Structure formats: C-alpha cells, structure tokens
Amino acid sequence: QLLDDTLRINAAVFDYMFEDLQVQTFRGFSFSTQNAGKVKSQGIDADLLWVTPVKGLSLNASALWDNSEFDEFTNTLTDQVLDGRRLGQSPEWSGNLGFDYNGPMFTGVDFNIVYDMHFTGEYFTDIAGRDLETGNTYTQNGFETHDLSISLMSPEQTWQVTLAGRNLTDQYYTVYSGFRVATGGVPF
C-alpha cells in the first residue's frame, strides 16, 4: 500500500503445467471431450485500487497477460497437432478500468455510481482455431464492454434500489464457435 494507504497495488506471476486438461470440440451435431496431453500457462496478473482525494471516489484497474498454450496435444477428431497453439477462449491480454463514487445525495438518502470498462484481446473460439475442411478461422477480435450501476440507499444500508446496465454499447462477441454439418461447414 502506498500514498498513506490510499493506493493498493497487487501483482502475481504464474507458471503452471497442466496434464490431461479436458477440452471439448464440436463436430457436426455434438461435442466431444478429450484430454490434452499438456498445457502450459504463464503470465502476470496485476490490479490497483486508488482511493482518491475526492471524497467517495475510488479508481480501479486490472490487467492480465496470459500465455497459455498446448504443450502436447493432438486433436484426435481432426488429427491436428496443436503443440504451441493458444488455448481457446484464452486472450493474451484482458483487464478492466473503472470507478466507484458514493456519498450523500440528500438527507436520508445516499448514492453510489459504479462504472467498469472490460477489455478482452483476440482469442480462438475453438480449441483448434480453424477447421481443416473449410479453412475457416474461429477467432474473436478484441473487444470491450461497458457496465454501469446507479444505486440509492439509506445511510444505514437498511434499503437499497439499484439500476444496473451491463454491456451498455451492446457489443456482440463470440464465446464459442465451430463446424456445423447442417450448414455445409459454415461456422456458428
């Protein structure tokens, strides 16, 4: 903690090796689960919280650099050797920026406003990253989402009313995609 205990910074470095991690692949009409031989995951995770000189205002941020990849894995459904390939749904960079502001609104009612912007870097939406039959790449480009909540409450916290909005810019993003037989191989 720094600045008279108004700034807190945390960081962690990690380096893991997983054996027999279960992964799923969608082929045609169903999911298939198989064990990846070895997965290596390493990176740095950091966050900070600053209680600013402005009464009731705090700022927060976090960032994650993640280098997760298959160390030994052959996809038995497609015979793809995926050694060195990033894991699906595993962006290299992600994090958030936000603030929390609270205080009295008028006698007997306090307020709280919380805003968060989350960002996610590009990632594969399937473990293979691309379909061998069609060549389609299953990738989600980097994106950000914005969340906001506004609350009114009693100073004693005996009641609270909150209006919350998530993904306020209506950002569309893909979590998982794969090959569909019924559409001639068009990714979903």
Side-chain angles (χ1 to χ4, degrees):
Q1 296 194 354
L2 305 166
L3 301 175
D4 295 326
D5 291 335
T6 62
L7 179 63
R8 184 186 73 214
I9 300 173
N10 296 303
V13 176
F14 58 91
D15 187 1
Y16 298 108
M17 180 69 78
F18 300 96
E19 292 188 20
D20 297 327
L21 177 72
Q22 290 190 333
V23 294
Q24 290 188 328
T25 304
F26 185 79
R27 296 299 291 169
F29 297 102
S30 65
F31 284 93
S32 174
T33 301
Q34 54 189 314
N35 290 335
K38 290 184 181 176
V39 171
K40 183 172 180 104
S41 180
Q42 57 189 6
I44 301 170
D45 187 7
D47 66 79
L48 70 84
L49 174 65
W50 179 34
V51 179
T52 71
V54 176
K55 186 175 178 168
L57 178 63
S58 61
L59 306 176
N60 63 76
S62 69
L64 170 66
W65 172 72
D66 180 20
N67 182 26
S68 294
E69 60 186 33
F70 295 110
D71 194 47
E72 293 176 12
F73 180 44
T74 299
N75 186 338
T76 57
L77 296 174
T78 62
D79 291 326
Q80 289 174 289
V81 176
L82 298 175
D83 299 358
R85 170 73 70 144
R86 286 194 66 76
L87 270 66
Q89 298 87 27
S90 178
E92 184 176 11
W93 289 98
S94 62
N96 80 291
L97 298 170
F99 71 84
D100 187 319
Y101 185 55
N102 61 64
M105 188 164 186
F106 47 80
T107 304
V109 177
D110 290 350
F111 73 94
N112 179 245
I113 301 172
V114 178
Y115 167 79
D116 281 302
M117 185 275 293
H118 306 274
F119 63 91
T120 302
E122 179 181 87
Y123 59 86
F124 292 126
T125 58
D126 181 60
I127 62 167
R130 91 181 162 86
D131 189 277
L132 288 178
E133 295 174 26
T134 65
N136 291 326
T137 301
Y138 305 138
T139 305
Q140 170 62 55
N141 292 329
F143 63 93
E144 61 188 52
T145 59
H146 302 267
D147 302 336
L148 179 70
S149 70
I150 301 169
S151 300
L152 300 177
M153 69 217 52
S154 69
E156 302 81 24
Q157 304 284 320
T158 56
W159 61 267
Q160 177 174 323
V161 176
T162 301
L163 175 64
R166 300 185 69 79
N167 193 7
L168 295 174
T169 56
D170 202 22
Q171 173 69 47
Y172 286 91
Y173 55 93
T174 302
V175 176
Y176 186 86
S177 63
F179 178 80
R180 286 191 298 185
V181 173
T183 62
V186 177
F188 64 93

